[in-house]
Amino acid sequence: MNIIPGLGIARGMALTLRRFFAPRATIQVPEAAPDVAVRFRGRLQLLVDELGNLKCETCFQCAQACPVECIDMGGHDTRNRFWVHWGAAETYTERRQESALRRSGRPVPDAARRSFAPVEMAPLEEVLARRDYDPEPMLTLLEDIQAAYGYLPAAALLHVSHTTGAPFALLYGTATYYDHLSLEPRTRTIGICYCAACLLAGSARIEAAAEAVLGIPAGGGAGRGGEILERLPTHVPGAASPLVLVDGAAQAGVNARNAATWAQGLAGGGSAPGKGSAAGKGAAGRGKGRS
Amino acid sequence: MRARAATLVRSSWIQLLDRLSITERLVLLLIPPAIGGAVVTILAAALVGPAFVDFLAANLPLVRFFVAVVAILLLTVPTAFVIIYMELKVIARMNLRVGPNRIGPWGSGMSVVHGLKVLLKEDFAPTGADLPVFTLAPVVTFLASAMTLLVIPFAPGLFGQDLNIGLLFFFAMGGLTVLGLLMAGWASFNKYSLLGGLRSAAQMVSYEIPLTLSAVGIILLTGTMSLNQTVLAQSGSALDWFVFKQPLAFLIFFIAATAEANRTPFDMTEADSEIVAGFATEYSGMRFGFFFFAEYVNVFIVSALTVTLFFGGWTAPFDWPWPVSLDPIDAWAAGPAWIALGLGAAILGADVLAVVIRLFGGRAWSIPAAFGLGFLVSGAALTALLLGACFIAFDWFAGIVWFMAKAYAFVFVFVWLRATLPRVRIDQLMGFAWKWLLPAALLNLFITAAAVILLDR
């Protein structure tokens, strides 16, 4: 409350009167260009919509129009494996985030390049020699390569393309089309619950059996077949004890008594999808269906 | 043979019509009635002119009344346009914006376009509305404000009627505005309109009382309710203005007038940003436009009354120290010679200026451009000269210049208030009128009456 009534009004009036004579803040944009450097093209920025999805459609028009080629487009393919530079938009899963990150000088997670890590070529050469470097039965060729390596190394696919003349895109397309073909080493995560109820039901014995068969300690690295053994942080509500998860799927009927048998099955790959059956008898895994 | 010639003429006539644009065809169509109208007018003037003039002279008060009413109705249109433009532009400046700048020079055509827009909109009446009342309401609102202009003296001798109850007439007509608002609220067949109408009626009735009471002090001082006499009582210099004798009355009057004119901070009646539009909710098109027309005319009227009552009306704020007088009789006697002289001066000035522009501006100015600019500049200079001569020669011209300058200064203050102050709450609004303004007005009246008796003036 002011001591003099109306003082606030007088001060407000004085303010608006000062504003009346102040220079105007409006820039008449179409007629008067804002004062920026000649080569200023705005700020390169990837916009996201209200859901947090990138609005970029990877149409490459900005990169094509960029006069100094400072816009560079590149990214991962749809399965997040390979670094692709230019190409059809639908071949990317990651859109321009990496490009923007790289432009800003920050480290870019580049997991895809690991797929091109060099591999030992002797098993591949043996497979190719056996087939007389013929890429025509491509599916069976790829199945043989997967049987030799356990998976399809990208470096091996590149080598096949170079030696047989088959286009890499065709090899890559075939390899990614069939579910039983994998471009990465398959991993299986075996989770064993260590809560009090599961311990009473024998989860320690199950873990010991799995450790013995797979040859890895719980919480350690991956085993020979790409298995990872871990202890679950919490019990899944409503699940029966002892709780054992393989790739997130609860294994019914496993208990302390049949733990050893179950662990043997793990090593044989019986309950695991993909690798064992497909690598063993190739034709059986043909098509999208799972054997 | 004759038929063929007729066909030829007709076909060539049609061909000519085909070549013309719509505008040209319209002009062509308008030529015969224009010529005919001119001929008829001249004939009528020659035949019944003297008798008609005699008739008018015999009924001079009636003629004066009709002319005054027509002049006032015509005056309201440019007034509203100017005030709307002023409001747009001034508030924009105070917000550090540019304001309208597209239509006309510096956007000055904006309010005209606003008016045209409102005219073109659909004229809609809600189902169940009381149509005669609904239609009459904006008319009543507008006319109630416009008619108050009849008693305002714009200049010596330039007023509608010098009523001896001028101030009473002003407040009575101004009070009719409430009726218009109530009619609008009631006839709209909408409870929100009705509430808005009652709300504005409550506000305007409340503020009418301090508004009238604050003017009573001046009536005591002058002893008359004639606004012309009030102005004459303030003639002299700015020190004779009633604002110095009645400062409290001026303050009360100005605040109450703000509320009467429905201006911020008291624009509760149609608080655009809060309630829909109050009593005008169901109105559209030009009926809606008339409410705002009336509002802007009201701003001018209230400013004009403030100037008349407190700021000396059309009198100059200082004694003219060097009495210059061009004898107006001589100026009229010269008659057509003045027009010829003016035109000759304009053409000669344009020629001289064009030569000067060509000499100093060089190749940048083409000859037509130089002549155009020269004509504009010399025309502006001559107009300024003519207006200056009028200002000195005719006291009515000087009076209207002073009056308009003062009135528009107050219009600026109203706009300035709108740019500054937020809207008050309805209960604060009513409380302020009854608890503060009314006692203050009574106090002012008491002190003035006591002073008049004690000082015996």
Side-chain angles (χ1 to χ4, degrees):
Chain A
M1 192 67 192
N2 287 314
I3 299 167
I4 310 165
L7 189 66
I9 293 177
R11 281 164 64 189
M13 300 285 278
L15 179 77
T16 38
L17 196 63
R18 276 202 303 279
R19 288 282 185 276
F20 183 73
F21 293 108
R24 286 164 288 193
T26 309
I27 300 170
Q28 305 276 347
V29 164
E31 288 97 19
D35 183 23
V36 291
V38 179
R39 302 192 59 168
F40 182 71
R41 293 289 185 276
R43 183 174 153 206
L44 286 181
Q45 192 179 18
L46 288 162
L47 300 177
V48 291
D49 64 11
E50 62 275 12
L51 298 173
N53 300 321
L54 267 177
K55 284 179 163 183
C56 175
E57 296 193 349
T58 335
C59 65
F60 293 97
Q61 290 194 14
C62 61
Q64 288 180 22
C66 184
V68 291
E69 296 181 11
C70 74
I71 301 177
D72 183 23
M73 309 276 299
H76 299 288
D77 68 328
T78 46
R79 299 228 171 168
N80 211 6
R81 294 185 185 97
F82 300 106
W83 181 261
V84 199
H85 187 86
W86 292 79
E90 57 271 19
T91 58
Y92 302 126
T93 169
E94 294 278 344
R95 290 178 177 177
R96 299 303 87 218
Q97 212 107 37
E98 285 82 4
S99 193
L101 284 172
R102 194 153 45 73
R103 280 283 144 206
S104 64
R106 276 167 283 185
V108 182
D110 196 7
R113 287 194 183 273
R114 284 204 300 271
S115 300
F116 286 99
V119 291
E120 178 60 45
M121 289 298 171
L124 177 63
E125 284 294 337
E126 192 218 326
V127 170
L128 286 172
R130 196 168 67 223
R131 295 172 154 266
D132 201 16
Y133 293 92
D134 178 18
E136 198 61 29
M138 193 172 284
L139 181 59
T140 52
L141 170 63
L142 291 178
E143 281 166 348
D144 285 357
I145 296 169
Q146 177 152 313
Y149 286 97
Y151 68 107
L152 290 173
L157 290 185
L158 206 59
H159 186 76
V160 171
S161 174
H162 286 166
T163 49
T164 65
F168 178 77
L170 199 58
L171 285 163
Y172 176 73
T174 314
T176 50
Y177 183 77
Y178 293 101
D179 275 342
H180 69 276
L181 297 177
S182 165
L183 285 108
E184 293 159 328
R186 282 279 166 92
T187 59
R188 260 190 308 167
T189 308
I190 299 147
I192 298 169
C193 182
Y194 249 58
C195 74
C198 294
L199 276 173
L200 281 176
S203 61
R205 289 214 187 164
I206 299 171
E207 188 189 81
E211 279 179 348
V213 171
L214 300 173
I216 47 166
R224 286 186 302 273
E227 296 89 351
I228 292 171
L229 203 57
E230 65 176 21
R231 289 178 183 174
L232 296 179
T234 53
H235 192 90
V236 177
S241 295
L243 175 63
V244 177
L245 299 179
V246 174
D247 280 342
Q251 303 292 306
V254 181
N255 54 36
R257 245 167 273 124
N258 64 11
T261 332
W262 169 76
Q264 288 297 332
L266 263 187
S271 65
K275 179 181 153 191
S277 56
K281 26 190 191 347
R286 194 163 298 204
K288 286 296 265 186
R290 205 159 272 190
S291 62
Chain B
M1 191 70 190
R2 182 179 285 175
R4 208 174 138 230
T7 324
L8 202 68
V9 168
R10 228 177 111 221
S11 65
S12 68
W13 176 241
I14 287 166
Q15 277 172 8
L16 179 73
L17 266 186
D18 281 344
R19 275 206 299 273
L20 296 179
S21 71
I22 301 279
T23 331
E24 286 161 344
R25 277 183 223 181
L26 270 178
V27 170
L28 209 63
L29 266 176
L30 285 177
I31 285 174
I35 294 172
V39 168
V40 167
T41 311
I42 290 167
L43 279 178
L47 289 177
V48 296
F52 190 62
V53 169
D54 284 346
F55 171 75
L56 291 186
N59 298 287
L60 202 57
L62 207 60
V63 172
R64 185 187 173 89
F65 177 74
F66 275 111
V67 169
V69 168
V70 170
I72 279 162
L73 288 181
L74 288 182
L75 175 72
T76 53
V77 177
T79 303
F81 282 166
V82 167
I83 295 177
I84 290 170
Y85 175 64
M86 194 168 158
E87 179 149 276
L88 292 171
K89 217 52 182 174
V90 168
I91 290 183
R93 285 306 308 255
M94 285 176 175
N95 295 349
L96 300 182
R97 292 184 286 117
V98 176
N101 64 344
R102 296 287 140 168
I103 298 151
W106 297 284
S108 53
M110 197 65 211
S111 37
V112 180
V113 173
H114 270 312
L116 286 178
K117 175 195 77 177
V118 167
L119 269 176
L120 289 173
K121 282 193 174 182
E122 185 188 354
D123 193 11
F124 176 82
T127 317
D130 190 351
L131 256 183
V133 183
F134 187 78
T135 314
L136 265 179
V139 179
V140 169
T141 311
F142 171 70
L143 282 186
S145 359
M147 282 303 112
T148 53
L149 278 174
L150 268 177
V151 291
I152 288 186
F154 288 89
L158 198 65
F159 40 76
Q161 291 286 326
D162 185 14
L163 290 182
N164 57 357
I165 50 155
L167 204 55
L168 188 64
F169 175 84
F170 187 97
F171 288 131
M173 287 309 269
L176 272 183
T177 312
V178 181
L179 182 65
L181 302 188
L182 273 179
M183 282 164 73
W186 172 256
S188 292
F189 200 60
N190 176 347
K191 51 184 170 293
Y192 301 110
S193 294
L194 184 57
L195 282 174
L198 290 176
R199 184 153 112 148
S200 16
Q203 174 188 331
M204 297 192 74
V205 168
S206 305
Y207 275 85
E208 201 109 307
I209 294 162
L211 185 78
T212 315
L213 277 180
S214 62
V216 170
I218 289 175
I219 299 175
L220 287 183
L221 286 182
T222 57
T224 175
M225 283 206 274
S226 157
L227 287 172
N228 206 26
Q229 297 299 318
T230 311
V231 172
L232 288 176
Q234 302 175 72
S235 59
S237 73
L239 295 176
D240 293 320
W241 291 353
F242 281 142
V243 66
F244 299 113
K245 291 179 186 165
Q246 298 269 305
L248 183 61
F250 166 65
L251 207 63
I252 297 164
F253 184 88
F254 193 70
I255 294 171
T258 314
E260 274 293 295
N262 292 332
R263 297 289 300 181
T264 320
F266 304 119
D267 60 341
M268 307 299 302
T269 52
E270 92 294 297
D272 339 41
S273 46
E274 287 160 27
I275 55 181
V276 186
F279 55 86
T281 304
E282 294 292 350
Y283 279 88
S284 62
M286 199 53 211
R287 295 188 215 194
F288 179 78
F290 255 101
F291 284 117
F292 278 84
F293 196 20
E295 186 194 318
Y296 283 105
V297 172
N298 238 333
V299 172
F300 176 75
I301 287 167
V302 159
S303 309
L305 190 64
T306 312
V307 167
T308 309
L309 288 181
F310 294 98
F311 287 87
W314 40 261
T315 59
F318 44 80
D319 285 326
W320 199 249
W322 51 92
V324 184
S325 129
L326 303 176
D327 197 345
I329 304 300
D330 278 356
W332 286 120
W338 278 107
I339 299 173
L341 197 66
L343 274 178
I347 291 165
L348 193 71
D351 291 351
V352 172
L353 272 171
V355 170
V356 171
I357 289 165
R358 281 287 287 181
L359 276 181
F360 290 96
R363 298 241 175 141
W365 290 91
S366 68
I367 290 174
F371 266 105
L373 187 71
F375 187 77
L376 280 182
V377 170
S378 65
L382 271 176
T383 310
L385 209 66
L386 192 67
L387 291 181
C390 282
F391 188 82
I392 293 167
F394 306 114
D395 57 347
W396 64 265
F397 190 81
I400 206 164
V401 167
W402 283 119
F403 181 83
M404 284 295 174
K406 289 175 190 175
Y408 274 94
F410 274 95
V411 172
F412 178 82
V413 172
F414 278 120
V415 174
W416 183 13
L417 276 171
R418 180 166 181 173
T420 309
L421 296 179
R423 198 169 289 132
V424 298
R425 231 167 48 207
I426 182 80
D427 57 322
Q428 293 170 334
L429 177 92
M430 302 297 279
F432 185 64
W434 292 105
K435 291 181 196 161
W436 294 96
L437 285 188
L438 183 59
L442 287 172
L443 179 72
N444 176 68
L445 186 58
F446 176 73
I447 291 173
T448 313
V452 166
I453 290 172
L454 290 180
L455 302 178
D456 193 28
R457 62 171 298 275

